[in-house]
Amino acid sequence: MTASCTSKNQSDNTPASTSVSANTVVASATGQQPEAGIISQDIHINQIGYKIDDKKIAVIKGVYKSFEVFDAETGKAVLVKETGGKVSDESSGDTVCYADFSELKASGSYFISVEGLGKSYDFKIGESTLFSKVNDALVKALYYQRCGIVLDSKYAGEYIHGSCHTGKAILYGNEEVQLDVGGGWHDAGDYGRYVVPAAVTAADLMLAYEFYPQSFTSPLNIPESSNNIPDILDEAKYGLEWLLKMQDEKSGGVYHKVTSRNFPDIAVMPDIDVDDLFIMPVSTTATADFAAVTAMASRIFKDFDPDFSKKCLAAAVKAWNWLEANKSFIAFKNPQDVSSGEYGDSSGDDERAWAAAELLRATGIKKYNEYFKANYQTGGFGLGWQNVSGFAAIAYLFADTETADSGKADEIRKAWLEKADMFVSTAQKNGYLLAMHKMEYNWGSNMNVANHAMHMLIADKLSNSEKYTESAADCAHYLLGRNTLNQSYITGYGSQKVMQPHHRPSAGDSVKDPVPGLLVGGPDSALEDDSARASLSGKAPAQCYIDDITSFSTNEVATYWNSAAIFVFSYMGSN
């Protein structure tokens, strides 16, 4: 397997900028279509396409004077224009220029040609349904991650397997106790189920529905598709029902995870994985995240499933009572004989604040507001599993004005917008127009991309500014191929697809293509597995990715990476 890192000699031509009237068909500078099949890996576009009225920019590695856009169906040039910009990009080490074809508004299939370089992959210009299909696939991928049920061909197509992990799990340290904790999602490329990331996954799904409900009107062909509940909420409920099983009935505390002691081999299908399952002890972070997401669920499901809503709220209050009775931080560390994912943390302050904010929003009870005001530290605004302060902020910012403190909300709003402005500023300096600093290409960097976009989309809800939505869209363009590697990072989508994700069902089944709709982790400059170290040493941060099944640090998948991308593509498909 080879690393997805490319290098070519570049022209030293100096770019200039010019304009062409919208929808004007112009003669080709070369007079003919580029030779078919000569694809340049240095012309970077969103390989799915662009919406009609959006900015449409291709990033060209090197410096060239002009570019042409061809109709892929007719082979005729429809636009010729000079490039703009000459930007040195620190994250990739590339010098780039830009092909801005925003004035092209006719629906169709196109490619870009640069004389002396070649042509881009084909892409489309069209309605938001271009991205609705991607979003649907991202959501449907969570169905493929479901644990405890048969995936049959009626819903899963080729990607079938028998029921898995249906036996009772052993309470670690007390092997006489066995509990039914079936269900939930396989967290990532392995078969572990973890409360902390599952809570973040479910929260992202419910927020995506709350902010962009118009993106979830089409059924996804899952078992619940005919129940008059949007399928994205059905998927969230599947995860939430498992979370409810992870709460200790007596204390209200929540067990941290259920896994086998070790990861199974890479090609083991879930229904063949029969190692003993162990429930790990209660932790502060699991309990607080659980309280937050079940409180959120009580609000979101109130009109769709009142009984489930009440059940979630009761569970959230019970978990909060545990937090009040256990004020000291109870961390989780893997026992010596367990090597599955740890999802450990050094503090539960952000998780507790999230729980308080969600319980305030769900109930309006004053004590939650008092706790939040006294304990929430404005800033940071994490939207990943290790820092959930951003979820806490969102809950508080969008709570009823009668329950939240206006002064605290204004403080958070101001800081949120300041961070959004920082992301926009970072994107303006980035060669690929991406709101990412070169130090952020770590394990799961594509989650960083999606979470930055999510932050800016929330900022747009707070201030209605086009600069935020445009920069968020640029993050989506990056994930679908407008990056230094010309790599689409979502399985099944784009011209240069991920084919070897670190994902056991994709490795173990007999299907050529991997399960579609999975967002892989992306470049990791720390080179944290043998394949990455062997192939990517010396590469710039944004180039440290390899489409290799053994590269768990760059090519694994995770439900909470998918869910962050779902929020972004919910926006992309909403207008």
Side-chain angles (χ1 to χ4, degrees):
M1 300 180 182
T2 58
S4 297
C5 296
T6 59
S7 177
K8 283 192 177 184
N9 294 327
Q10 305 301 327
S11 167
D12 292 325
N13 295 329
T14 302
S17 179
T18 189
S19 61
V20 178
S21 298
N23 300 320
T24 300
V25 178
V26 297
S28 167
T30 61
Q32 58 185 348
Q33 179 181 343
E35 184 178 345
I38 301 178
I39 300 292
S40 170
Q41 295 299 323
D42 292 341
I43 305 175
H44 308 294
I45 46 92
N46 181 326
Q47 294 166 18
I48 299 300
Y50 302 82
K51 292 187 283 188
I52 290 171
D53 292 322
D54 282 3
K55 282 189 176 180
K56 309 175 192 71
I57 297 175
V59 181
I60 302 169
K61 184 178 177 181
V63 184
Y64 297 85
K65 285 186 176 180
S66 63
F67 69 96
E68 300 165 84
V69 182
F70 284 82
D71 186 309
E73 300 296 327
T74 65
K76 294 181 179 180
V78 296
L79 182 69
V80 60
K81 191 176 177 182
E82 293 186 8
T83 61
K86 180 181 180 182
V87 177
S88 296
D89 178 55
E90 284 190 329
S91 297
S92 65
D94 297 343
T95 297
V96 302
C97 62
Y98 303 108
D100 187 340
F101 53 102
S102 301
E103 58 264 56
L104 186 59
K105 296 180 182 292
S107 296
S109 182
Y110 301 91
F111 62 84
I112 291 170
S113 174
V114 177
E115 187 173 7
L117 190 58
K119 58 182 279 191
S120 72
Y121 290 120
D122 289 357
F123 60 88
K124 293 185 182 297
I125 294 176
E127 304 295 337
S128 59
T129 51
L130 286 172
F131 299 108
S132 299
K133 294 176 182 178
V134 177
N135 195 41
D136 288 350
L138 288 163
V139 179
K140 181 67 179 278
L142 296 178
Y143 164 76
Y144 295 121
Q145 290 291 100
R146 287 188 184 186
C147 183
I149 64 169
V150 174
L151 298 193
D152 64 45
S153 58
K154 179 178 179 180
Y155 305 108
E158 305 176 276
Y159 302 100
I160 58 174
H161 63 70
S163 61
C164 60
H165 309 108
T166 55
K168 289 187 176 181
I170 302 163
L171 186 62
Y172 189 89
N174 187 358
E175 297 197 2
E176 294 182 358
V177 178
Q178 298 188 15
L179 302 172
D180 173 16
V181 288
W185 299 296
H186 299 142
D187 172 65
D190 64 290
Y191 299 135
R193 286 163 290 153
Y194 309 85
V195 166
V196 169
V200 169
T201 301
D204 281 337
L205 298 183
M206 289 188 284
L207 286 173
Y209 177 77
E210 184 173 20
F211 284 103
Y212 305 108
Q214 65 271 35
S215 293
F216 303 103
T217 57
S218 300
L220 301 179
N221 188 32
I222 60 175
E224 301 85 359
S225 286
S226 61
N227 67 358
N228 296 319
I229 296 175
D231 282 358
I232 191 171
L233 295 185
D234 283 322
E235 198 57 58
K237 185 179 178 182
Y238 192 85
L240 289 160
E241 287 176 327
W242 171 74
L243 285 169
L244 291 169
K245 291 183 177 183
M246 293 294 285
Q247 184 173 41
D248 178 51
E249 291 184 3
K250 292 182 179 180
S251 70
V254 178
Y255 300 116
H256 195 78
K257 66 176 181 175
V258 56
T259 70
S260 53
R261 282 194 171 94
N262 304 298
F263 294 121
D265 290 340
I266 188 62
V268 172
M269 290 294 287
D271 51 334
I272 306 300
D273 178 30
V274 293
D275 288 347
D276 287 341
L277 295 174
F278 292 88
I279 302 168
M280 295 297 154
V282 168
S283 71
T284 296
T285 52
T287 305
D289 283 346
F290 172 95
V293 78
T294 50
M296 181 193 292
S298 74
R299 180 172 54 80
I300 297 294
F301 282 90
K302 188 174 183 180
D303 293 332
F304 291 108
D305 191 337
D307 290 339
F308 182 68
S309 170
K310 292 175 184 176
K311 184 177 182 180
C312 286
L313 184 57
V317 171
K318 192 173 184 179
W320 181 263
N321 290 340
W322 183 94
L323 293 169
E324 287 191 321
N326 295 271
K327 297 188 185 302
S328 296
F329 178 62
I330 299 176
F332 175 79
K333 295 289 184 184
N334 269 341
Q336 288 187 344
D337 61 342
V338 174
S339 63
S340 58
E342 186 170 274
Y343 289 105
D345 209 330
S346 59
S347 168
D349 293 346
D350 51 312
E351 288 85 359
R352 287 176 182 266
W354 183 25
E358 293 291 359
L359 279 160
L360 172 66
R361 195 172 180 193
T363 68
I365 294 175
K366 183 178 179 180
K367 71 172 182 177
Y368 301 119
N369 191 34
E370 295 304 315
Y371 181 90
F372 184 88
K373 288 193 299 178
N375 291 279
Y376 184 73
Q377 299 298 313
T378 300
F381 299 129
L383 291 167
W385 66 266
Q386 200 164 24
N387 185 332
V388 296
S389 60
F391 293 107
I394 293 169
Y396 202 78
L397 286 169
F398 291 92
D400 291 340
T401 55
E402 294 81 9
T403 57
D405 179 79
S406 60
K408 188 68 172 178
D410 287 344
E411 170 194 311
I412 295 170
R413 182 180 293 105
K414 179 181 177 182
W416 189 281
L417 293 174
E418 287 175 351
K419 186 168 184 178
D421 289 338
M422 181 196 74
F423 285 141
V424 171
S425 177
T426 298
Q428 290 170 344
K429 300 170 187 174
N430 183 278
Y432 287 86
L433 310 177
L434 183 67
M436 282 277 283
H437 188 273
K438 66 179 180 180
M439 301 302 292
E440 293 183 288
Y441 291 90
N442 47 30
W443 194 322
S445 64
N446 283 339
M447 180 191 71
N448 295 340
V449 173
N451 282 342
H452 294 353
M454 183 175 174
H455 186 106
M456 290 184 284
L457 290 171
I458 296 296
D460 173 65
K461 294 293 184 180
L462 297 172
S463 69
N464 191 27
S465 175
E466 195 172 75
K467 66 181 179 181
Y468 299 134
T469 54
E470 287 182 354
S471 194
D474 286 330
C475 293
H477 298 327
Y478 169 91
L479 295 175
L480 286 171
R482 201 181 70 184
N483 53 63
T484 182
L485 302 178
N486 231 29
Q487 176 72 57
S488 172
Y489 289 117
I490 301 174
T491 58
Y493 287 83
S495 299
Q496 187 159 303
K497 299 179 176 70
V498 174
M499 293 301 294
Q500 297 290 329
H502 184 85
H503 179 242
R504 281 165 176 78
S506 294
D509 64 19
S510 59
V511 184
K512 177 183 175 182
D513 292 336
V515 170
L518 294 168
L519 176 68
V520 297
D524 176 12
S525 61
L527 307 183
E528 297 178 79
D529 62 67
D530 291 341
S531 297
R533 284 187 288 271
S535 300
L536 303 173
S537 180
K539 299 292 184 182
Q543 294 192 354
C544 291
Y545 167 80
I546 180 171
D547 185 11
D548 186 323
I549 199 170
T550 65
S551 183
F552 48 83
S553 69
T554 75
N555 217 31
E556 193 171 8
V557 304
T559 61
Y560 53 97
W561 299 344
N562 255 60
S563 61
I566 287 165
F567 190 96
V568 178
F569 283 94
S570 298
Y571 160 73
M572 294 295 290
S574 66
N575 52 28

